[in-house]
Amino acid sequence: MLVAIDHVQLAAPLGSEDTLRSYYAGVLGMTEVPKPPALAARGGCWFEAGFVRLHLGIQHGFRPAEKAHPGLRVRDIEAYAARLAAQGAEVTWDDGLPGHRRFFCEDPVGNRLEFLEPAPQAAQLLR
């Protein structure tokens, strides 16, 4: 029986760890967590914010996915989008998901990220 998603793994190119740290910790406000020593030797980095866990793993021959992405729930989406834009992230709003406000952006290596928040009336129905 499935009970939760433990983490989402995204790929990244060799040598991109410092760039990833700047974005995921600096721009998104996540906290880097240490990888177990056996996995740290492979490169990459792990980040957390509340119950959200993203693992960035090194992939030789990396190419970012064009469509696949994690959907990350945020609070106060307008302020969060403004924070990302102020730090140079390109924010692309999308109104294609009824009952939600959402936008997309890409991390510095091209991974697509979706940020969403239920609209106030939809949030009431989810409680």
Side-chain angles (χ1 to χ4, degrees):
M1 167 196 295
L2 293 174
V3 295
I5 293 176
D6 183 78
H7 68 276
V8 171
Q9 169 103 13
L10 298 172
L14 184 65
S16 63
E17 289 88 349
D18 287 342
T19 301
L20 296 169
R21 287 182 181 103
S22 293
Y23 183 78
Y24 285 91
V27 176
L28 298 188
M30 300 182 82
T31 300
E32 184 174 4
V33 296
K35 293 177 69 173
L39 298 178
R42 299 179 187 175
C45 31
W46 293 1
F47 300 93
E48 292 182 357
F51 293 109
V52 177
R53 294 181 185 165
L54 296 177
H55 294 179
L56 282 292
I58 300 305
Q59 178 180 334
H60 297 280
F62 168 77
R63 286 181 300 148
E66 294 180 23
K67 188 156 179 88
H69 62 274
L72 305 170
R73 180 78 57 93
V74 299
R75 184 176 302 123
D76 195 4
I77 196 165
E78 297 286 340
Y80 198 74
R83 171 191 166 148
L84 271 61
Q87 295 193 49
E90 184 177 333
V91 171
T92 304
W93 287 95
D94 180 275
D95 61 359
L97 182 61
H100 291 79
R101 294 275 297 142
R102 73 175 179 170
F103 65 88
F104 291 91
C105 69
E106 291 182 355
D107 74 7
V109 299
N111 289 309
R112 186 176 190 219
L113 305 171
E114 176 183 1
F115 299 89
L116 66 158
E117 180 177 42
Q121 60 274 41
Q124 292 295 329
L125 296 174
L126 295 175
R127 292 182 186 188

